[in-house]
Amino acid sequence: MPERSGPGFRRRVGPPSRRARVLLLTLGVLAVLFLLFVMFAGFWTDWLWFKSVQYSSVFTTQLWTKIGLFAVFGLLMAVIVGFNVWLAHRLRPPLSAMSVEQQSLDRYRSGLAPFKRWALIGISLVIGLVAGAAASGQWRTWLLWTNGTSFGVKDPQFGRDVSFYAFDLPFYEFVLGFAFSAVIVSLLTSVLVHYLYGGLRLQGPGRRASVGAQGHLAVLLGIFVLLKAVAYWLDRYALAVKTGAYREVSGWTGLRYVDANAFLPAKTILFFVAIICAVLFFLTPVRRTWAPALIGLGLMVLSAVLIGGVYPAIVQQFQVKPNEQAKETPYIQKNIDATRQAYGISDSQTIPYTPKGTTDAEALKPDAQTISDIRLIDPNVVSPTFQSIEQQRSYYAFPQTLDVDRYGKDAGAQDTVIGLRELDLNGVQRNWINDHFKYTHGYGAVVAKGNQVNDKGQPVFTESGLPATGSLGDYQQRIYYGEKTSTYSIVGGSNQEIDYTTDSGENKQYKYTGGSGVSLNNPLTRAAYAVKFAEPQILYAGAITDGAKVIYDRTPKERVEKVAPWLSIDADPYPVVENGRVVWVLDGYTTSDGYPFSSKTTLGTATKDSLTNQRGELLTVANQVNYIRNSVKATVDAYTGEVTLYQWDENDPVLKTWMKAFPDTVKAKAEIPGTLMPHLRYPQDMFKVQRDLLGQYHVTDANSFFNGSDIWQVPVDPTSDTKQFQPPYYLTVRMPDPAVTSASFSLTTTFVPRGRDNLAAFMAVSADPGPDYGKLRILKVPGDSKTLGPNLVQSQFNSRQEVAQQITLLKSGGDSELEYGNLLTLPVGGGLLNVEPVYVRGRGAKYPTLQKVLAVYGNDNVAFENTLEEALRKVFAGAAPATTPTAPTTPTNPTTPTNPTTPTNPTTPAPGSTVTPELQKAMADVLKAQGELDNAAKSGDWVAVGQAQKAQSEAAKALAAALQKAGLAPAAVSAGPSSGAPSGAPSGTPAPSGSPGATPAPAPSTGP
């Protein structure tokens, strides 16, 4: 009968046709295959990347560790839960009591009966998968536990090595947490099964629980209480790394009086109470009554409240508070000592320093190099200047913040500002070919002197142009890996990239030969990368030919973070040109949050300053830490992308542990190239963490710390509108310490008292990789000295009428904008010199130029001049060396005693000696350098003084070598920390005054 249609009739819809079913099945299979391929693509491309950078062992170690933890703990959880579900079903009563409740449950039991086995397997697997996924995230905890290295330091409370808290305790706590989870899940599922099958009843007469259910649940509860006993025992040790707020320290860590004398004994007592309670639960199946176990549980809970809560409160109220200082100072001292040790500040040296308001030439002599190397070029301001003058092509750009380094040999080394001309795709017509095939790299480094500008207020470049030429010599200038290089490129094969565009408009072509990247010859690999980058053209584009490679993850931070996932990476990678190549240098930190008694700090907060938005943030493995070491120096080749890790801190147990976990990934410190070593420096983020801690932990006496009357803070940056802390600055500076005789490349900062703006202290760390590297020196200013802090210095500048008038003129009625450069504080001449370059950007101008220099010495000597030399003459009140340097005395035969106070003509050889042409030239060079130093000192030109001093140092070294070669001096040895001149120099040859550790010669002083 034909089917009717129309109003009142409804078409019957039958099952889908076979064709529709096949189509739906096919679509479902394809969707599943696509999802599986997406998962495979992520795994496969990661493996290929690690293989291409030769760190495949890092990938496999992580992978197998995660798989192992997933499998072991997932399977363990599944077995534990599955066994308990099975046991609960097996212990079900043979007959269920007749009740409305059981009649309702019968329907569920009958519906579940055909699928009981599959339900058991499914529930166990799902719970196991969740537990395994959580456990795989603990791969770091596992590797630290299995490879732990002793610290060689014991905690002051329990006498255990610090490695127990850093490596062992976290793993024990993880296992304990897993065991708690397994018992709780087993308990819940068992209760559900017992209830479903009548072992537990909520209604009806008789027993609420069958004998089997009672015994099963009692054992599970007993295990839970036994685990609680273990937790109480571990809690005793956890007190040493417990964190809270105390005495103005938000991350205070370690035991206090109430912990040691109330909580610690309470945890021990509760441990035994919990064991007794667990035994009572285990006896429940035998006694067939809950009463003893429940009474024991109640007593345990009551004990936890009274012994673990009320008693410590009583001790705090009636023992600690009446005499808190006496009770707490021993524990405060433990915290001070541990914190200073854990953050590497235990060896910091505090020097009392009362800054003078005026100075003279004699007092300025030792600081000639500091003054001559004052950095006028602010790397945070001049990036637009580099961009406008040295961009060369629209598809190049410089980082927003440039870097400070040293270039030059020995005494000729000079602070410089450096930036790389990196690729900027915003300057080209955007399409897939241009973005990924044609424009692939930047070109060249641009370097400027840190302490000079030209007559237009622009940097004085020592390396510039395209291709770059200058002081750096010949090197591979192509920048394929850089801070601004965030997209992938396809290079090699028949692809011809745009190398650079000449002045005539010709595009120079180039084919990458760096060797990095992943080959795209395999169609499967191309398909995987098409999925990874969501770019189907990779699969079929004709531009990808045999030999083509894809390079990606091209920023230095990304590369180092991937090959060393256990490191925290400093926010400021910096480029170095050495040995014919450009490399990025990055500082890596090993951290821990398990150092007993050491207070914790939040790295993101401690390292934040007014430049964070420009420089980026510290990439951290763990944000809350109480131990940190700059343990690794890493390099990334800007052309090949090669990543190299070097062991820097050879005593760090955390690094040694990770080197065991990832063998052959970190090279020894001795393998750092000699050409790279002079460019390594003390890292900023490490220094910022240390200065944050030293704001309170410069106080080493527990009683003074308790009173909290001497807390410092980092001043707000007066040159920025961000209201954030002032950043630290790299400077060449000599600290006024008798052990320091010359200026060195340092990282500096200032402190002010909390809530005030006067200066509390000036701190510098030696940043050069020499014997003094990492030495922290603090100049502590008396509290009543009223020395100006950075904000007061800035106020001095702005409040001076003559300065305000000139600023108004510079602004030209609003047509120009002023940009203040870094406010530098320098200890010179027994006082403190503050210098700030002032940049002016005219309306419509693309970049600022340095037009003025602000300077203040003491509290009242203020200058606002066109040049640094003019500003210094004014604030130093025209001070010049009181006595002009004298010529070096005559070298004599070391076997012939001479009167060291009688200068002789250096051109007159000692009796019996042979005057070689080389010796004559060396003597002439010494006299020439001395004359230049005389003239510079008389003119008060401190830049010239510093340069002449360096020249004199080199001439003195050459003279010593010539004397030794001519037989007039014994063989020279390397100058140590206390020897400024070559040890082979005869009596009367002055030590170079700018050399480290110079010791005054018997002859009269020869330099400022």
Side-chain angles (χ1 to χ4, degrees):
M1 182 176 178
E3 185 177 330
R4 302 184 188 183
S5 62
F9 294 93
R10 184 170 56 189
R11 182 184 297 274
R12 289 185 298 172
V13 180
S17 65
R18 183 181 179 191
R19 179 180 296 178
R21 290 198 302 271
V22 171
L23 179 61
L24 291 174
L25 181 62
T26 302
L27 290 176
V29 170
L30 289 176
V32 171
L33 289 176
F34 177 76
L35 291 175
L36 290 175
F37 186 77
V38 169
M39 296 173 60
F40 167 78
F43 166 82
W44 181 240
T45 54
D46 280 349
W47 161 250
L48 292 174
W49 187 91
F50 276 97
K51 187 178 179 181
S52 72
V53 296
Q54 300 180 353
Y55 281 89
S56 55
S57 63
V58 174
F59 179 82
T60 54
T61 298
Q62 287 186 82
L63 178 64
W64 289 117
T65 302
K66 290 178 180 179
I67 290 175
L69 290 172
F70 178 88
V72 171
F73 285 95
L75 182 62
L76 194 57
M77 178 66 81
V79 168
I80 292 172
V81 173
F83 172 76
N84 280 281
V85 171
W86 172 83
L87 184 61
H89 178 265
R90 185 176 179 82
L91 293 175
R92 68 191 185 281
L95 296 173
S96 300
M98 295 302 295
S99 66
V100 176
E101 179 186 24
Q102 292 302 314
Q103 289 175 355
S104 300
L105 290 174
D106 277 342
R107 289 178 304 194
Y108 295 102
R109 288 194 286 264
S110 60
L112 184 63
F115 310 103
K116 285 190 296 186
R117 178 175 297 177
W118 292 110
L120 173 63
I121 294 173
I123 291 172
S124 301
L125 285 178
V126 169
I127 295 174
L129 288 173
V130 173
S136 66
Q138 297 293 323
W139 64 271
R140 289 185 177 89
T141 305
W142 168 264
L143 290 176
L144 287 172
W145 181 63
T146 54
N147 297 282
T149 303
S150 172
F151 275 68
V153 177
K154 297 184 182 297
D155 81 276
Q157 183 68 37
F158 302 102
R160 283 186 170 271
D161 191 90
V162 171
S163 61
F164 171 78
Y165 301 92
F167 307 139
D168 299 341
L169 187 59
F171 181 73
Y172 298 153
E173 291 175 335
F174 158 66
V175 173
L176 183 62
F178 172 83
F180 269 122
S181 300
V183 171
I184 291 172
V185 173
S186 297
L187 190 61
L188 293 175
T189 53
S190 298
V191 167
L192 181 63
V193 173
H194 281 302
Y195 177 71
L196 183 63
Y197 286 95
L200 294 175
R201 292 186 296 117
L202 301 178
Q203 301 175 3
R207 294 173 60 93
R208 301 294 183 186
S210 66
V211 174
Q214 182 186 47
H216 183 201
L217 298 180
V219 170
L220 286 176
L221 288 171
I223 295 174
F224 180 85
V225 176
L226 190 62
L227 291 174
K228 188 62 180 173
V230 176
Y232 280 133
W233 189 258
L234 289 180
D235 283 348
R236 298 169 68 253
Y237 299 107
L239 290 172
V241 290
K242 181 195 70 171
T243 303
Y246 181 68
R247 308 311 302 175
E248 311 292 342
V249 181
S250 59
W252 181 277
T253 301
L255 290 86
R256 305 208 315 265
Y257 181 89
V258 69
D259 297 310
N261 295 278
F263 281 109
L264 185 57
K267 298 289 184 183
T268 305
I269 294 171
L270 289 171
F271 166 75
F272 290 107
V273 171
I275 289 179
I276 295 171
C277 183
V279 171
L280 293 176
F281 272 105
F282 292 144
L283 292 175
T284 297
V286 179
R287 300 177 63 88
R288 297 192 177 185
T289 176
W290 287 100
L294 294 178
I295 292 172
L297 182 62
L299 288 174
M300 189 181 79
V301 173
L302 183 62
S303 298
V305 173
L306 295 178
I307 302 175
V310 176
Y311 175 62
I314 292 173
V315 171
Q316 179 68 26
Q317 182 66 33
F318 296 102
Q319 290 190 34
V320 177
K321 281 192 174 180
N323 194 13
E324 185 175 1
Q325 184 167 352
K327 297 292 186 182
E328 297 289 14
T329 47
Y331 301 95
I332 292 175
Q333 192 64 55
K334 293 176 183 178
N335 174 270
I336 292 172
D337 295 341
T339 301
R340 290 174 62 87
Q341 178 64 35
Y343 288 94
I345 58 178
S346 58
D347 293 332
S348 61
Q349 179 184 1
T350 301
I351 305 168
Y353 189 71
T354 304
K356 299 187 299 184
T358 58
T359 187
D360 55 40
E362 193 66 27
L364 289 170
K365 279 183 182 180
D367 299 312
Q369 187 179 353
T370 300
I371 296 171
S372 67
D373 283 342
I374 291 175
R375 182 167 46 76
L376 293 174
I377 302 299
D378 185 347
N380 312 302
V381 173
V382 298
S383 179
T385 309
F386 275 51
Q387 184 80 2
S388 295
I389 300 176
E390 286 296 328
Q391 178 190 21
Q392 302 289 345
R393 302 294 177 263
S394 62
Y395 47 84
Y396 294 135
F398 291 91
Q400 190 174 1
T401 297
L402 304 178
D403 291 288
V404 178
D405 200 351
R406 295 90 69 216
Y407 284 91
K409 293 183 178 180
D410 301 325
Q414 185 179 43
D415 294 1
T416 58
V417 176
I418 182 172
L420 297 187
R421 193 183 287 109
E422 296 189 43
L423 179 66
D424 181 12
L425 290 173
N426 293 319
V428 301
Q429 184 177 359
R430 302 299 297 271
N431 57 59
W432 191 63
I433 295 296
N434 279 348
D435 287 359
H436 304 292
F437 288 83
K438 291 299 181 184
Y439 295 93
T440 58
H441 59 277
Y443 209 104
V446 176
V447 179
K449 294 182 178 181
N451 63 344
Q452 293 183 34
V453 293
N454 62 20
D455 56 359
K456 297 179 181 178
Q458 300 169 343
V460 176
F461 294 107
T462 59
E463 181 82 11
S464 60
L466 183 68
T469 57
S471 60
L472 299 182
D474 187 26
Y475 63 97
Q476 174 55 263
Q477 298 192 20
R478 298 171 180 90
I479 311 299
Y480 279 85
Y481 296 86
E483 290 182 286
K484 299 176 70 67
T485 314
S486 57
T487 188
Y488 69 91
S489 287
I490 298 175
V491 298
S494 61
N495 179 37
Q496 291 292 320
E497 312 156 33
I498 293 178
D499 203 20
Y500 62 91
T501 306
T502 64
D503 292 336
S504 61
E506 178 188 359
N507 285 333
K508 292 288 186 180
Q509 303 292 313
Y510 182 74
K511 182 177 177 180
Y512 181 66
T513 59
S516 64
V518 177
S519 172
L520 293 177
N521 290 345
N522 189 328
L524 181 64
T525 300
R526 290 177 67 169
Y529 278 104
V531 171
K532 178 180 178 64
F533 297 125
E535 182 50 72
Q537 292 191 73
I538 294 178
L539 201 55
Y540 54 79
I544 303 177
T545 58
D546 286 345
K549 292 183 176 183
V550 58
I551 56 177
Y552 60 101
D553 289 341
R554 296 164 69 183
T555 67
K557 287 183 184 179
E558 283 180 303
R559 297 182 77 78
V560 176
E561 189 182 29
K562 286 187 72 171
V563 304
W566 38 273
L567 280 178
S568 296
I569 309 300
D570 191 271
D572 188 27
Y574 59 97
V576 171
V577 180
E578 57 90 25
N579 198 28
R581 60 187 187 140
V582 179
V583 296
W584 292 95
V585 178
L586 301 93
D587 288 279
Y589 307 113
T590 46
T591 60
S592 174
D593 61 355
Y595 199 102
F597 283 91
S598 172
S599 289
K600 292 183 180 179
T601 188
T602 303
L603 292 180
T605 302
T607 58
K608 191 172 185 179
D609 60 30
S610 62
L611 297 178
T612 299
N613 292 335
Q614 294 179 224
R615 293 176 58 244
E617 295 185 2
L618 172 67
L619 298 178
T620 61
V621 174
N623 200 29
Q624 277 269 333
V625 304
N626 65 355
Y627 172 91
I628 185 170
R629 288 291 186 273
N630 174 212
S631 54
V632 170
K633 300 287 187 182
T635 63
V636 176
D637 194 296
Y639 181 67
T640 66
E642 179 185 6
V643 182
T644 309
L645 307 176
Y646 296 104
Q647 181 182 12
W648 184 249
D649 189 333
E650 297 176 299
N651 299 315
D652 177 26
V654 181
L655 175 60
K656 291 178 180 178
T657 298
W658 286 120
M659 289 175 69
K660 290 180 186 177
F662 296 97
D664 302 322
T665 57
V666 182
K667 294 185 177 182
K669 185 176 183 178
E671 296 186 54
I672 297 177
T675 53
L676 175 64
M677 185 67 79
H679 296 280
L680 300 182
R681 68 189 193 189
Y682 201 81
Q684 293 189 59
D685 283 337
M686 179 77 175
F687 185 70
K688 286 192 282 189
V689 170
Q690 290 175 322
R691 74 174 182 178
D692 182 67
L693 268 295
L694 280 167
Q696 289 172 297
Y697 285 92
H698 68 277
V699 178
T700 57
D701 176 69
N703 286 298
S704 301
F705 194 99
F706 179 87
N707 293 326
S709 58
D710 192 18
I711 297 177
W712 302 340
Q713 64 186 35
V714 180
V716 172
D717 188 352
T719 67
S720 171
D721 296 329
T722 62
K723 305 301 180 185
Q724 296 294 333
F725 293 137
Q726 187 181 39
Y729 297 122
Y730 286 106
L731 300 169
T732 294
V733 63
R734 186 192 72 87
M735 291 293 279
D737 178 356
V740 179
T741 57
S742 65
S744 64
F745 189 67
S746 305
L747 190 55
T748 65
T749 191
T750 56
F751 293 101
V752 295
R754 185 177 58 176
R756 292 188 290 162
D757 286 330
N758 59 293
L759 193 72
F762 172 86
M763 182 171 76
V765 62
S766 179
D768 265 327
D772 215 24
Y773 176 87
K775 178 66 176 179
L776 289 161
R777 292 183 175 88
I778 303 170
L779 303 181
K780 186 176 180 180
V781 177
D784 58 353
S785 70
K786 298 181 180 180
T787 303
L788 303 180
N791 280 279
L792 292 177
V793 169
Q794 192 70 40
S795 297
Q796 275 281 63
F797 291 152
N798 298 334
S799 62
R800 290 294 178 109
Q801 184 176 358
E802 63 273 20
V803 174
Q805 290 173 348
Q806 293 188 61
I807 288 176
T808 302
L809 291 173
L810 287 174
K811 291 183 177 180
S812 302
D815 289 339
S816 300
E817 295 180 2
L818 259 62
E819 294 185 31
Y820 292 105
N822 37 214
L823 176 56
L824 308 178
T825 302
L826 300 159
V828 296
L832 288 171
L833 170 67
N834 291 275
V835 175
E836 182 179 86
V838 178
Y839 295 84
V840 177
R841 186 197 296 259
R843 176 175 293 180
K846 295 181 179 180
Y847 61 91
T849 57
L850 194 149
Q851 296 295 319
K852 291 284 186 178
V853 177
L854 284 162
V856 60
Y857 190 81
N859 290 356
D860 300 315
N861 300 316
V862 179
F864 187 52
E865 304 297 330
N866 294 328
T867 66
L868 175 63
E869 290 79 8
E870 293 172 359
L872 293 181
R873 285 197 192 99
K874 185 172 181 180
V875 296
F876 291 152
T883 57
T884 57
T886 58
T889 57
T890 304
T892 58
N893 190 318
T895 61
T896 307
T898 62
N899 182 358
T901 63
T902 306
T904 56
N905 191 333
T907 60
T908 304
S913 63
T914 302
V915 181
T916 64
E918 183 179 358
L919 181 57
Q920 288 181 332
K921 181 180 183 302
M923 292 177 177
D925 287 344
V926 168
L927 291 176
K928 179 182 177 183
Q930 192 62 55
E932 292 175 350
L933 185 57
D934 285 347
N935 295 332
K938 291 176 182 178
S939 67
D941 185 341
W942 292 100
V943 172
V945 168
Q947 293 171 344
Q949 195 175 51
K950 293 176 184 178
Q952 183 202 37
S953 174
E954 291 297 310
K957 290 179 182 178
L959 175 59
L963 288 168
Q964 184 251 323
K965 186 175 181 180
L968 296 175
V973 296
S974 299
S978 61
S979 174
S983 59
S987 175
T989 302
S993 59
S995 60
T999 303
S1005 174
T1006 60

